[in-house]
């Protein structure tokens, strides 16, 4: 049996060991941005609009797929109860390199605002665009500090959203409760920047480790590896 491996865009950054630092609040409820919520089933890309590669391409139900191993950034909200972990799952916007590099004033771009839900996004006109070729940065409409502004960074041959201290702009996919696999592994290097990765194996031991530090499993430092609706691995890295 051949399994697919899916690394959701915001988690690519964590999975390859890039230290992310500050962006939205890990436990913040999704707020409604200027646009209306659009069901994925009815979404049609507007001609002439630059959209994220991962625009409405998956839902939490996809984590139940037994044929796919999925990496997601998550905030563990209620620890582990009765062998099940409850977490808020997040994503971020990723764009094709060539589409961002040809973007010009007068074009349109779609993105999720900070704290938005997965099906809440805005499409705005590009009124200004600044490109820093040295650092591979693009600032649209004055950047994230301005209304409908956006900052992008080139990473792994695609552009992702960027906010303070290099975090992506996270949006919330929703909350999901998933059982820990019996052979689940915790890989934890969150003690300090030079900490060696500590491994804990087995559902009972991993549950105890998570519950012993209930408030420090955030979207900024935590990655879950999920297959068939079960958590196969929990990863936590150091962040400032």
């Amino acid at each position: 049996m051949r399994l697919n491996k899916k690394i959701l865009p915001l988690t690519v950054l964590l999975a390859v060991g890039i230290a992310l630092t500050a962006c939205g609040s890990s436990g913040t409820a999704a707020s409604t941005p200027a646009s209306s919520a659009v069901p994925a089933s009815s979404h049609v890309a507007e001609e002439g609009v630059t959209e994220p590669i991962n625009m409405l391409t998956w839902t939490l139900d996809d984590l139940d797929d037994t044929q796919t191993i999925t990496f997601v950034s998550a905030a563990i909200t209620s620890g582990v109860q009765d062998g099940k972990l409850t977490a808020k799952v997040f994503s971020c916007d990723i764009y094709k390199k060539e589409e961002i590099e040809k973007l010009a004033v007068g074009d349109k771009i779609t993105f999720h605002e900070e704290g938005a839900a997965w099906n809440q996004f805005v499409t705005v006109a590009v009124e200004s665009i600044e490109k820093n070729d040295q650092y591979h940065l693009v600032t649209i409409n004055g950047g994230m500090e301005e209304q409908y502004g956006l900052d992008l960074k080139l990473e792994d041959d695609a552009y992702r959203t960027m906010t303070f201290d290099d975090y992506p702009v996270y949006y919330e996919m929703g909350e999901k409760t998933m059982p820990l696999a019996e052979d689940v592994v915790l890989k934890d290097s969150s003690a300090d920047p030079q900490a060696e990765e500590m491994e804990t194996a087995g559902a009972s031991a991993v549950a105890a480790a998570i519950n012993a530090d209930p408030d420090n499993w955030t979207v900024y430092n935590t990655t879950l590896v999920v297959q068939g609706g079960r958590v196969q691995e929990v990863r936590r890295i150091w962040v400032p």
Side-chain angles (χ1 to χ4, degrees), residues 27 37 51 81 101 114 122 186 189 213 221:
E51 288 192 349
Q81 307 294 331
E101 293 185 346
E114 187 173 6
V122 295
L186 166 63
S189 59
D213 192 18
N221 67 7

Side-chain angles (χ1 to χ4, degrees), residues 213-225:
D213 192 18
D215 300 322
N216 293 310
W217 306 87
T218 73
V219 63
Y220 311 120
N221 67 7
T222 302
T223 302
L224 303 180
V225 182

Side-chain angles (χ1 to χ4, degrees), residues 156-219:
D156 297 325
D157 207 37
Y159 279 90
R160 67 158 172 89
T161 55
M162 183 182 71
T163 183
F164 296 114
D165 295 327
D166 203 31
Y167 281 119
V169 175
Y170 287 115
Y171 60 87
E172 188 176 328
M173 296 299 300
E175 188 171 80
K176 189 172 180 69
T177 298
M178 298 169 283
L180 298 177
E182 284 302 315
D183 57 350
V184 64
V185 175
L186 166 63
K187 298 181 178 180
D188 193 351
S189 59
S190 63
D192 60 67
Q194 285 75 45
E196 293 187 9
E197 189 174 78
M198 303 293 292
E199 287 198 11
T200 302
S204 296
V206 170
I210 292 173
N211 290 339
D213 192 18
D215 300 322
N216 293 310
W217 306 87
T218 73
V219 63

